[in-house]
Amino acid sequence: MNIQIITVGKLKEKYLKLGIEEYAKRLNSYAKMDLIEVPDEKAPENLSEADMEIVKKKEGERILAKISADTYVIALAIDGKMKSSEQLASGLESLMTYGKSKIAFVIGGSLGLQEEVLKRSDEKLSFGKMTLPHQLMKLVLIEQIYRAFRIIKNEPYHK
């Protein structure tokens, strides 16, 4: 299985990088992991709605350019479906069973994901109603993907 995590913006925080690198290393025995960062669009603090849409459009185009036609896309979105770790594992196992060998998880920038990215997505996943920094979300996501593979393989970890 090939898994991409596509995020907007460059990860700068060392402690987050170390955690992500650790889980990426652990995941290597289960799947090929590709961590892709697309540049965020520089924008001033106070943006109009129109300006926000322009920023999201540019970031969305960069995200979509990284996704192949045969990739199953899971967008992280507050209004997505909330799942337990076991449900995430079951969903990934189903995708593998039915021949979906390429999966991309997409995390938007500080303004969220463009509508075109959401339309391209096969499902939307939520980790709750709280807003988390997208850099931290990347660490949480990769840990949950690792946990899902441990669950699928019936290996200890997820308790």
Side-chain angles (χ1 to χ4, degrees):
M1 171 167 273
N2 296 301
I3 297 177
Q4 295 177 311
I5 297 178
I6 304 170
T7 55
V8 173
K10 187 150 181 70
L11 187 60
K12 298 173 189 88
E13 295 83 356
K14 186 174 181 172
Y15 69 98
L16 291 174
K17 279 185 182 179
L18 290 171
I20 290 166
E21 287 168 7
E22 177 61 28
Y23 283 110
K25 184 174 73 176
R26 292 180 187 189
L27 269 164
N28 276 335
S29 59
Y30 301 104
K32 181 183 179 297
M33 177 64 60
D34 196 10
L35 304 172
I36 300 169
E37 294 175 341
V38 299
D40 55 346
E41 191 63 25
K42 302 297 177 218
E45 281 293 314
N46 298 322
L47 293 174
S48 68
E49 283 292 321
D51 289 336
M52 284 190 227
E53 286 306 313
I54 290 168
V55 168
K56 289 197 312 189
K57 182 178 186 329
K58 288 179 181 178
E59 291 174 349
E61 288 168 351
R62 292 176 190 141
I63 291 168
L64 292 171
K66 301 293 182 184
I67 300 171
S68 63
D70 60 343
T71 299
Y72 187 90
V73 179
I74 301 171
L76 272 64
I78 287 177
D79 65 340
K81 183 176 181 187
M82 287 194 271
K83 296 183 177 187
S84 68
S85 296
E86 291 80 8
Q87 288 170 324
L88 178 64
S90 175
L92 289 176
E93 189 172 32
S94 271
L95 290 172
M96 289 186 281
T97 301
Y98 294 104
K100 297 289 184 187
S101 62
K102 293 181 184 176
I103 300 171
F105 290 88
V106 180
I107 302 172
S110 58
L111 299 176
L113 289 168
Q114 178 206 26
E115 191 59 35
E116 291 304 311
V117 176
L118 294 171
K119 285 180 186 171
R120 169 60 183 88
S121 300
D122 296 287
E123 78 180 84
K124 292 193 294 185
L125 176 64
S126 174
F127 280 77
K129 297 290 181 197
M130 290 184 193
T131 302
L132 296 173
H134 52 284
Q135 300 92 336
L136 178 59
M137 195 63 244
K138 186 175 182 178
L139 176 58
V140 172
L141 173 63
I142 196 168
E143 187 278 335
Q144 284 297 302
I145 294 169
Y146 173 70
R147 183 180 297 267
F149 277 100
R150 299 289 294 194
I151 292 168
I152 291 166
K153 300 289 186 182
N154 210 15
E155 297 171 349
Y157 175 76
H158 69 283
K159 296 190 176 15

